[in-house]
């Protein structure tokens, strides 16, 4: 009975039995995820108690407050601006379509639960696709996808929001690039950017590698394909409901610093949300230039996953908002960039600690101090969680930068691989390396 488990943990290529085993583990992870939300599934989602029992979900909150319980489709609800769904197009479409399949009309606890369960099921399907995509993308290290299948960060946040749709599109886009399907890769990344912004940043990793190899055509083809895909799903809403469509972008620019963001430390300065956005975007731009410089000066060409992780991590560290589910953006990229179990488990443990005190802090203030009173213990632990999760993310970035600078330490390359995600760029000689008069072999 233990032999299949042993085979899975020692797996190399993603054969059918390995994929089946990974899907079983994902089902186990999803079952645990359901159990973590069982209090709310049984008792509803009352304001403070859903935070106290760590089972808050945007699914249930938005169903009742954005017109979807009345089968009003996002962007076309006719509701006041403050009730507009401030989400990108693909997430709005998904939220609206899943509401349409719930029998009946109007808000009720039964329909709220049904909406939660339907969207949870969609998220779990996306999760399974991500696991399979990582297994195939990792090539000789398909076993690393176990981390994605059982990641505590995904277990806790998979039913919080629709982010797994964007993660699925991002990872299948990278997998398509690794299989030399450049147009498909661009389309998937473009659709991912129509769900969440971050998949767009993965074009930056493609750009750096195409610059080094002198194959800029691959970058332009993928970017153009992504732009067409993004426009195809956005333009209809831009033309028919521009104010509602643009709500996501104006809201993102104007909103104040969110919970768990480093910008909370600067609220005392009186800076408004717009000013913080300019500073945040400027710092992220500088970080991207630094990552590009790192990629173009490294002795050996960095791997796609390494650059992608650094770009997305920089966005999260410097961003004005850090929602708990954003950890899902990074987990598959980490598994492909630096698959080390001990380090991964420490990181995930810190994220669990942060998760717990995000919601306990929320429960305290949403309840009007009914829970935890006026003690500062929760605030201290919540602040510790923020510092710890940001510190660990910086640590992971430092270690990945070290792997780029010292490729002999790269655990993936010790398996005899160059870059599993490089696709049409794999094995090509470098044509452009900063600070080098001669091109490197790879």
């Amino acid at each position: 009975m233990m032999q299949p488990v042993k085979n899975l943990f020692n797996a190399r290529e993603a054969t059918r039995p390995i994929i089946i085993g990974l899907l079983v583990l994902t089902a186990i992870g999803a079952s645990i995820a359901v159990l973590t939300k069982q209090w709310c599934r049984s008792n509803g989602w009352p304001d403070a108690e859903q935070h106290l029992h760590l089972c808050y979900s945007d699914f249930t909150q938005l169903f009742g407050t954005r017109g979807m319980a009345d089968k009003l489709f996002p962007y076309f609800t006719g509701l006041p601006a403050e009730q507009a769904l401030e989400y990108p197009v693909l997430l709005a479409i998904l939220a609206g379509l899943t509401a349409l399949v719930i029998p009946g009309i109007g808000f009720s606890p039964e329909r709220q639960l049904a909406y939660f369960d339907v969207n949870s099921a969609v998220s779990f399907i996306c999760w399974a696709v991500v696991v399979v995509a990582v297994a195939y993308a990792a090539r000789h290290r398909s076993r690393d996808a176990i981390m994605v299948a059982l990641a505590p960060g995904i277990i806790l946040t998979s039913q919080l929001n629709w982010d797994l749709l964007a993660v699925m599109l991002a990872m299948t886009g990278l997998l398509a690039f690794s299989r030399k399907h450049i147009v498909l890769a661009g389309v998937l990344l473009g659709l991912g950017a129509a769900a969440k912004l971050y998949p767009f940043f993965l074009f930056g990793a493609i750009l750096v590698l195409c610059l080094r190899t002198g194959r800029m055509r691959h970058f332009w083809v993928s970017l153009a394909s992504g732009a067409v895909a993004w426009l195809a799903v956005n333009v209809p809403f831009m033309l028919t409901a521009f104010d509602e469509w643009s709500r996501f972008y104006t809201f993102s620019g104007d909103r104040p610093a969110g919970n768990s963001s480093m910008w909370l430390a600067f609220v005392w300065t009186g800076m408004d949300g717009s000013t913080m956005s300019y500073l945040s975007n400027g710092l992220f731009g500088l970080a991207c230039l630094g990552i590009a410089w790192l990629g173009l000066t490294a002795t050996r060409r960095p791997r796609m996953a390494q650059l992608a992780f650094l770009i997305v991590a920089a966005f999260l560290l410097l961003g004005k908002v850090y929602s708990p589910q954003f950890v899902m953006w990074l987990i598959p990229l980490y598994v492909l960039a630096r698959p080390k179990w001990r380090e991964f488990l420490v990181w995930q443990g810190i994220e669990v600690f942060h998760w717990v005190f995000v919601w306990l802090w929320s429960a305290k203030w949403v309840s009007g101090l009914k829970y935890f009173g006026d003690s500062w213990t929760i605030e201290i632990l919540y602040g510790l969680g923020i510092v710890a999760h940001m510190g660990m993310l910086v640590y992971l970035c430092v270690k990945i930068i070290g792997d780029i600078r010292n490729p002999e330490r790269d655990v993936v390359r010790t398996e005899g691989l160059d870059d599993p995600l490089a696709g049409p760029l794999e094995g090509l000689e470098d044509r452009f390396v900063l600070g080098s008069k001669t091109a490197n072999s790879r």
Side-chain angles (χ1 to χ4, degrees):
M1 184 174 180
M2 293 299 295
Q3 191 60 38
V5 176
K6 183 178 179 181
N7 291 343
L8 186 57
F9 275 84
N10 293 321
R12 291 177 61 82
E13 299 294 340
T15 61
R16 180 176 295 180
I18 297 306
I19 294 300
I20 292 173
L22 288 169
L23 291 176
V24 169
L25 290 182
T26 307
I28 293 172
S31 299
I32 297 171
V34 171
L35 291 176
T36 67
K37 302 298 184 287
Q38 193 57 36
W39 188 92
C40 283
R41 293 189 73 256
S42 300
N43 299 279
W45 281 264
D47 285 342
E49 286 76 10
Q50 64 179 322
H51 298 271
L52 183 67
H53 292 277
L54 314 179
C55 53
Y56 171 90
S57 174
D58 286 335
F59 297 159
T60 57
Q61 298 306 303
L62 298 175
F63 180 68
T65 60
R66 298 298 194 268
M68 289 182 287
D70 296 315
K71 298 191 182 294
L72 300 176
F73 203 80
Y75 297 172
F76 301 99
T77 63
L79 294 172
E82 61 270 15
Q83 288 184 259
L85 186 65
E86 63 282 359
Y87 280 19
V89 164
L90 275 191
L91 293 197
I93 292 173
L94 178 58
L97 290 178
T98 51
L100 293 178
V101 304
I102 307 301
I105 192 168
F107 182 85
S108 69
E110 294 76 18
R111 296 191 74 238
Q112 183 185 43
L113 176 59
Y115 186 72
F116 174 81
D117 286 345
V118 167
N119 282 285
S120 295
V122 172
S123 291
F124 294 155
I125 292 170
C126 292
W127 184 359
V129 174
V130 171
V131 170
V132 173
V134 170
Y136 281 114
R139 287 165 57 177
H140 299 338
R141 296 185 59 98
S142 64
R143 61 188 178 274
D144 292 334
I146 296 171
M147 297 184 194
V148 184
L150 296 175
I154 300 180
I155 289 172
L156 290 176
T157 64
S158 57
Q159 299 169 94
L160 179 56
N161 202 284
W162 292 274
D163 288 60
L164 273 170
L165 173 64
V167 178
M168 179 188 73
L169 291 167
M171 298 315 301
T172 53
L174 291 180
L175 175 62
F177 193 88
S178 76
R179 298 302 176 93
K180 303 181 182 180
H181 302 304
I182 302 172
V183 172
L184 178 60
V187 167
L188 290 168
L189 292 177
L191 292 175
K196 285 283 183 177
L197 185 59
Y198 95 90
F200 172 76
F201 302 141
L202 302 184
F203 285 111
I206 296 174
L207 171 61
V208 171
L209 297 182
C210 287
L211 276 172
R212 280 196 65 140
T213 56
R215 301 300 174 91
M216 286 299 296
R217 178 180 175 277
H218 296 323
F219 169 72
W220 292 119
V221 168
S222 65
L223 183 62
S225 302
V228 170
W230 187 90
L231 289 170
V233 295
N234 276 271
V235 167
F237 294 92
M238 294 168 67
L239 295 177
T240 58
F242 183 81
D243 289 342
E244 291 78 5
W245 171 86
S246 62
R247 172 69 174 161
F248 165 71
Y249 301 98
T250 57
F251 176 76
S252 298
D254 297 338
R255 70 185 299 180
N259 296 338
S260 301
S261 163
M262 78 168 197
W263 295 97
L264 284 179
F266 300 95
V267 170
W268 63 272
T269 64
M271 280 192 293
D272 60 17
S274 296
T275 302
M276 287 185 179
S277 289
Y278 286 123
L279 291 173
S280 172
N281 294 338
L283 290 173
F284 176 58
L286 290 175
C288 287
L289 290 176
I291 295 167
W293 178 85
L294 171 69
L296 294 172
T297 59
T299 303
R300 186 171 182 179
R301 192 160 67 240
R303 291 188 293 106
M304 178 83 75
Q306 293 171 324
L307 294 173
F309 182 94
L310 292 175
I311 294 168
V312 177
F315 179 69
L316 294 181
L317 284 168
L318 299 172
K320 199 171 56 174
V321 176
Y322 181 85
S323 297
Q325 73 270 18
F326 289 177
V327 68
M328 293 191 292
W329 302 1
L330 288 171
I331 288 172
L333 295 176
Y334 172 85
V335 170
L336 292 170
R338 185 179 162 85
K340 295 198 171 186
W341 269 101
R342 182 179 300 178
E343 192 173 87
F344 177 75
L345 291 175
V346 171
W347 173 36
Q348 292 298 288
I350 289 172
E351 290 293 342
V352 170
F353 179 87
H354 171 251
W355 162 271
V356 169
F357 287 102
V358 164
W359 300 116
L360 294 185
W361 176 83
S362 297
K364 174 179 178 177
W365 291 103
V366 171
S367 69
L369 305 186
K370 173 183 175 182
Y371 299 114
F372 310 111
D374 56 3
S375 168
W376 285 90
T377 303
I378 293 297
E379 280 78 4
I380 292 170
L381 292 172
Y382 174 43
L384 179 61
I386 295 174
V387 172
H389 104 80
M390 293 187 71
M392 187 63 192
L393 190 48
V394 170
Y395 172 83
L396 295 178
C397 290
V398 170
K399 298 302 286 187
I400 288 174
I401 291 170
D403 290 343
I404 292 174
R405 285 303 189 189
N406 301 279
E408 69 277 3
R409 301 178 190 173
D410 185 346
V411 66
V412 172
R413 280 179 163 147
T414 60
E415 295 276 334
L417 298 172
D418 177 31
D419 182 357
L421 293 179
L425 309 177
E426 186 175 12
L428 297 181
E429 292 186 356
D430 284 328
R431 300 294 184 186
F432 177 70
V433 181
L434 290 176
S436 175
K437 294 182 180 180
T438 58
N440 298 298
S441 61
R442 281 190 294 181

